[in-house]
Structures are given as structure tokens and as C-alpha cells.
Amino acid sequence: ILTILGNSAVLATAVKRSSLLKSPELLTVNLAVADIGMALSMYPLAIASAWNHAWLGGDASCVYYALMGFLFGVCSMMTLCAMAVIRLLVTNSSKSSGSKITKNTVCILIAFIWLYSLLWAILPLLGWGYYGPEPFGISCTIAWSKFHNSPNGFSFILSMFLLCTLVPALTIVACYLGIAWRVHKAYQEIQNIDRIPNAAKLEKKLTLMAVLISVGFLSSWTPYAAASFWSIFNSGDSLQPVVTLLPCLFAKSSTAYNPFIYYVFSKTFRCEVRKLQCCCGWRVHYFSSDNSAEHPVPTTWSG
């Protein structure tokens, strides 16, 4: 619910301000699309399976669930990587050269991200790698246990880990360390903090927001990655079901964080959300024991 409501607000704001969106903001929209896509295509089936205490639909739904999770997961990771690289380019470039990152360039980049993610998602369907159930039995993902049982599974998981996880993660960390160093040196050159331009303060806020988005995503998926790697080198029975279930749920919660980060750091997004509240008529009526039903006290929900 939080993922759908929050990211729907992001998309509604983007549509309303489509003519004013800057090129890098298109990546934020793409991240919201990936998050809401994951919530709509995967979470209902997982919730129904949890209530059923067993996976629903058999092998076909298992492959579908794992494919959707891999597709949207890689898309989110590569989008965060692209955001980090573009922030680094913008920070290190002058205003004139920074304008070279056009909307068309970002749209081409987004198309490449989706094609790259789709390629990796369908590779197990083509015979390289496998999809299978999670150890706790109510979710599906890449068959990590095939790592040491099959040369095919070994090569796929190793390649996927390098090209879809390790390289993007290291790129994100390197880019933001470079940005932090650049900002640190720039602020050292300005002795009086009151003389720091508003543009520089805005750039610092945007960078901090992007860092928090990346940290939220990586920290959410790290416990799941650790549990998955444990299952690669050990039998599936070596971990209790709850030990494998909780990291999976925590990883899925990453789709709900970003709208809250935008709300805290973006004044524009806060204003647009409040306008959406008024347009949609999101109101909560409180009734005191002294008042009759004919005299409700309306209070606008503060989001």
C-alpha cells in the first residue's frame, strides 16, 4: 500500500510537471515505475501464498514471479547507478557543459536500462541459469543452490553478481565519494558559509537525496544477498525458514522508501502532494462526543 500510494504520487507529480522536469529527474520517474511495477506484479501473489502457507500456481507462477523480481530489481539497480554517474557529471561540469545531458540522452539511457534488465531476466528462460522457489517456500527467485550443482548455474550466478550487482554498487559508491570530495573542496574555498550560492546548496541537497535513495536500496538488499550467498555454499536446510524469509521481506520494502525521501528533501514534491490532497479530497472527519453527525469537523490529512 505504501509503495503504490507513494510512487503513484511521484508519477502524478511528474505528469503534472512534465514540461518542467529536468533531464536527471526522468531517472527518478523510472525508479518509481520500477518500484510500482514490482508491487503490482509480485506482491499480491506473494501475500496470497503467505496466507495459503504454500506457493500458489505451481511452476508457471514461480517462474513469472522470479522473472518480474529479477527484471525490476536489475532495473532499479541500474537506474541508481545511472543517477550516480549523472550526478557526478553534473557536479564536475560547468553550467554550460552540464546542459549537454538532454532529455533525449536520458530517455535513451532509460531504454538501455530496461533492455539490459529484460535481457538478464529472460536468460534463465533461454537455458542459462535457473529460476526456483525460495527456501521458505512462499516466494521464488534465482536458483542460488544451482551454483555448485551445475556449471550452467555457476557461470550465470557469477556473471549476474559481477555485472548486475558488484559493478553497479562499486560505481555508485565511487561516484558519490567523488561528489563528496568535490563538494568538500568547493566548500573549503568559500570561507564564509553565508556566501555559498543557492545553486550550490540545492546541488548539495539533491546529492544527499540521491545518496539516501541509493543507501536505502543497497542496505535493504544486503541481508538478502548475504542469505542468498550462504545458500550458495551451504545446503538449503542450514538456515531456518524465518532467517531466509525476513531478509526477503526487508528487501521488498525498498520500494516504499523513496517517496518519503522525496517528501523530506524536495519542497516542490511536498507542495505537489498537498495539491493532490486537495484535488482528490483526502479528508478525515473527526466526531466529538458532543457533536451530532450533522456537524462534522473536517481536517485535511497531512500525508
Side-chain angles (χ1 to χ4, degrees):
I1 292 172
L2 289 176
T3 297
I4 293 172
L5 289 180
N7 288 287
S8 295
V10 174
L11 295 179
T13 301
V15 170
K16 189 175 179 181
R17 299 182 61 251
S18 57
S19 60
L20 301 175
L21 285 179
K22 297 177 181 178
S23 302
E25 290 178 317
L26 294 176
L27 291 170
T28 302
V29 175
N30 191 57
L31 192 60
V33 170
D35 288 344
I36 202 170
M38 182 177 286
L40 292 175
S41 65
M42 299 172 59
Y43 294 174
L45 185 56
I47 293 170
S49 298
W51 282 105
N52 187 54
H53 300 281
W55 182 252
L56 294 174
D59 292 340
S61 64
C62 184
V63 171
Y64 159 79
Y65 184 93
L67 186 145
M68 290 294 105
F70 197 21
L71 171 65
F72 291 120
V74 174
C75 181
S76 297
M77 187 66 168
M78 300 310 296
T79 301
L80 292 172
C81 183
M83 288 173 63
V85 172
I86 289 181
R87 288 241 59 86
L88 179 65
L89 294 176
V90 170
T91 302
N92 289 339
S93 62
S94 62
K95 188 174 181 180
S96 58
S97 60
S99 61
K100 293 180 181 179
I101 304 175
T102 64
K103 285 188 177 181
N104 288 336
T105 303
V106 177
C107 287
I108 293 173
L109 179 59
I110 290 173
F112 172 78
I113 289 172
W114 280 103
L115 289 174
Y116 184 81
S117 305
L118 182 61
L119 173 64
W120 278 101
I122 65 175
L123 283 176
L125 303 182
L126 300 177
W128 191 33
Y130 309 92
Y131 288 133
E134 300 268 18
F136 50 86
I138 56 172
S139 179
C140 293
T141 185
I142 298 167
W144 301 102
S145 60
K146 298 289 186 179
F147 184 85
H148 48 74
N149 294 336
S150 165
N152 189 354
F154 172 85
S155 60
F156 174 77
I157 292 175
L158 185 62
S159 302
M160 180 274 300
F161 172 70
L162 290 175
L163 299 177
C164 298
T165 305
L166 184 62
V167 172
L170 292 178
T171 302
I172 291 171
V173 172
C175 285
Y176 287 127
L177 286 177
I179 292 172
W181 176 254
R182 173 84 177 186
V183 171
H184 173 70
K185 296 297 289 184
Y187 272 60
Q188 274 189 333
E189 296 174 0
I190 305 174
Q191 299 299 326
N192 188 354
I193 195 170
D194 296 327
R195 296 176 58 191
I196 297 176
N198 289 332
K201 294 179 181 179
L202 177 62
E203 198 65 37
K204 183 179 179 181
K205 182 182 289 188
L206 291 174
T207 300
L208 179 59
M209 184 173 70
V211 168
L212 289 177
I213 293 169
S214 299
V215 168
F217 183 86
L218 294 175
S219 60
S220 297
W221 282 92
T222 297
Y224 178 76
S228 298
F229 269 88
W230 176 270
S231 64
I232 287 176
F233 300 104
N234 299 274
S235 65
D237 300 331
S238 60
L239 292 176
Q240 294 294 324
V242 68
V243 177
T244 57
L245 173 62
L246 292 180
C248 183
L249 295 178
F250 189 51
K252 298 297 191 296
S253 71
S254 64
T255 58
Y257 301 153
N258 295 341
F260 292 99
I261 297 174
Y262 303 148
Y263 193 86
V264 171
F265 285 90
S266 175
K267 183 178 180 180
T268 302
F269 183 65
R270 285 198 300 271
C271 294
E272 292 296 337
V273 168
R274 288 165 185 162
K275 290 178 183 177
L276 286 174
Q277 292 174 213
C278 297
C279 293
C280 298
W282 294 347
R283 295 182 178 276
V284 179
H285 299 278
Y286 296 94
F287 302 91
S288 66
S289 57
D290 300 324
N291 295 340
S292 64
E294 289 81 6
H295 301 286
V297 181
T299 304
T300 304
W301 177 57
S302 62

